[in-house]
Amino acid sequence: MSKTSAVHAPSPDAGRRVLEDIEDQFRLTKDDLVRITSQFLEDFALGLGEYNHPMAMIPTFVTGVPDGSETGTFLALDLGGTNLRVCEVELLGNHDFVLRQQKYKVSEALKTGEATTLFDYLADSVDAFLTEYASAVPSSPSTEQANPFASPILSDSPEIPLGLTFSFPVEQTALNRGKILTWTKGFSAKNAIGNDVVRLLQDAFNRKHLHVKCVALVNDTVGALLSRAYTGGGCILGSIFGTGTNGAYVERVENIKKLGDSSARQQGGYMVVNTEWGAFNNTRTVLPSTPYDNKVDRQSINPRLQAFEKFISGMYLGEIVRNILLSLVDAAPEPLLFNGQSSGPLNTHYGLDTAVMSEVEEAWESGRVPLVPVVDCDTPEPKANGISAEESTLSSIPDWQSAHFTEVDKLSADDIARLERIRGIIVQRLALDAADVSLRDAAIVRWASSLVANRAARLSGCAVAAVLVQTERAKLGGGFSTDEEKITVGVDGSLIQHYPNFNARLRDSLRELVGDEVEKKVEIGLAKDGSGVGAALCALQATKQGH
């Protein structure tokens, strides 16, 4: 780890130097951000040009995005974990929709049994949903079809279009075709790998004599893009900043060179590309690895893979902080944290959840002016205490990552009160004896949390900036802007929605990379239910394309 060994004399100055050394390892300068974003762009080009790169740049064959005027009723099936979800989405044509949904549990036996049994269960669940929500099945022929893109409502053939969100690795070859590459998340259903997931599901529908047609296969990040495009009237990037991370954006088909002379490329136009940016820079040539990151990677279930995700996603941030705290507990010749005491959660792999970091930072931000909220609908960004997202700047946020803020005797009375609340959170969440948690300890935990989260947000800004540059809406370093009044980015995930100042810090990074003029045009808006509504919208796109 950092210099937490006996070479340091047991003095306050020595302890401060240890913290400053850790702080330096997590700092990202503008030059660092530019170098990382430049590598993003190189990896984009590699993935668009050839198959089998970590940054996969998967063509989705979605060749348009909704604008909010579309109407129709569609089904969505979302499979990605312990539960599967069936949704009926009624698109109202005014940027709004009505959602009905039901969850169904996927047992361990289904996860590990025969694929046909699993997909029969998916079909049975859709059947059960349709029985309960009869509105999903047209009861009479439509006399007028005002919108040619709406789902067909015909009494002779009332097939209901369904979009499938399948959160497992697939090699997609068409909007409605994708070969299962491997199972993850505890699934290992037999005789599925290598087969077309859409065909497996459709065969199950046919066996059950259901009038449902799986017309689209979608990734949840693509769904986030489509969902935000519908509610916000357009979108160029859908991104997930939560337990994991990924991004999908609208690319010129001519740039997707690995499509070769295929009909899709010959048609030209635009196509949504699923970047799989969680695997960016697996070689870690530009990512700012520290010993704490290396330990997270070494002890993970997928060492040397998904490098970017391990720096910025909610699954890993708490573990990075836990590693920092343990190094301070174990410092010699005298401990620098908790009187050298640890606890069950601190000693447990992934025992410190990112939610604890968020709770700590929330307590620290209590009573301060909130900045740059994520837009929740197609209305202007709300003002926080009279400050709009456009007006606010990161200059009003102190440099909470500085070790200076661990010096309790220099803090205000209000900040001392905040540290008292944080001290209570630490005692409760980390199961430590209150006598072993001082206010300085609380300040150090708050500092470490801010250090790790700030780096994650700034790295996230690199990913967004790379897409803006790739799509010719910005120039790396600033100095260029398109004529567009608004550049919409759809987001989903717990970090971007709930972690204090994550969005503000991401914007700060974006501003450094592409300049003030472009950053002000970027509207970061919440993508409502990308895996449900987004899949239904993908089904809509499929009907447009004649599937």
Side-chain angles (χ1 to χ4, degrees), residues 265-308:
R265 189 150 186 250
Q266 290 173 4
Q267 289 172 11
Y270 294 87
M271 183 182 292
V272 177
V273 171
N274 168 20
T275 67
E276 292 294 342
W277 72 32
F280 166 65
N281 200 222
N282 281 343
T283 55
R284 301 189 180 221
T285 54
V286 296
L287 286 174
S289 285
T290 69
Y292 312 102
D293 298 296
N294 293 339
K295 185 182 179 189
V296 167
D297 182 57
R298 175 168 50 80
Q299 295 181 334
S300 70
I301 60 171
N302 55 350
R304 314 310 297 173
L305 299 174
Q306 294 298 104
F308 190 60

Side-chain angles (χ1 to χ4, degrees), residues 287-495:
L287 286 174
S289 285
T290 69
Y292 312 102
D293 298 296
N294 293 339
K295 185 182 179 189
V296 167
D297 182 57
R298 175 168 50 80
Q299 295 181 334
S300 70
I301 60 171
N302 55 350
R304 314 310 297 173
L305 299 174
Q306 294 298 104
F308 190 60
E309 188 163 85
K310 288 170 183 170
F311 281 80
I312 74 168
S313 73
M315 181 173 179
Y316 301 101
L317 299 188
E319 184 67 0
I320 299 170
V321 170
R322 188 181 75 91
N323 288 340
I324 293 173
L325 300 186
L326 284 177
S327 75
L328 299 175
V329 168
D330 294 336
E334 289 187 2
L336 296 176
L337 193 65
F338 304 146
N339 287 330
Q341 300 301 307
S342 191
S343 65
L346 271 179
N347 288 335
T348 302
H349 199 205
Y350 295 104
L352 197 164
D353 195 277
T354 301
V356 177
M357 296 170 55
S358 182
E359 194 175 354
V360 165
E361 291 225 62
E362 187 71 44
W364 184 250
E365 292 296 331
S366 175
R368 308 187 203 273
V369 177
L371 297 173
V372 198
V374 175
V375 180
D376 194 19
C377 59
D378 56 344
T379 57
E381 297 190 49
K383 289 198 173 189
N385 290 0
I387 301 175
S388 73
E390 288 187 357
E391 295 164 346
S392 69
T393 67
L394 266 288
S395 61
S396 54
I397 297 181
D399 183 11
W400 296 139
Q401 298 79 52
S402 170
H404 164 77
F405 289 101
T406 64
E407 297 178 9
V408 176
D409 58 341
K410 296 180 181 179
L411 298 179
S412 69
D414 286 343
D415 283 343
I416 294 294
R418 292 181 177 103
L419 287 182
E420 288 283 9
R421 288 194 289 274
I422 291 171
R423 181 174 175 272
I425 293 168
I426 294 167
V427 169
Q428 181 182 10
R429 302 298 185 203
L430 299 184
L432 285 156
D433 191 315
D436 291 322
V437 184
S438 67
L439 285 182
R440 177 171 165 79
D441 291 338
I444 289 174
V445 172
R446 199 280 318 153
W447 161 81
S449 298
S450 182
L451 204 59
V452 171
N454 184 66
R455 186 186 66 169
R458 287 172 67 74
L459 286 172
S460 299
C462 293
V464 176
V467 170
L468 296 181
V469 175
Q470 175 67 23
T471 58
E472 300 179 351
R473 288 175 169 85
K475 180 180 178 182
L476 193 54
F480 170 80
S481 179
T482 67
D483 294 332
E484 295 171 282
E485 291 184 7
K486 180 175 71 173
I487 303 170
T488 302
V489 174
V491 296
D492 198 2
S494 54
L495 283 178

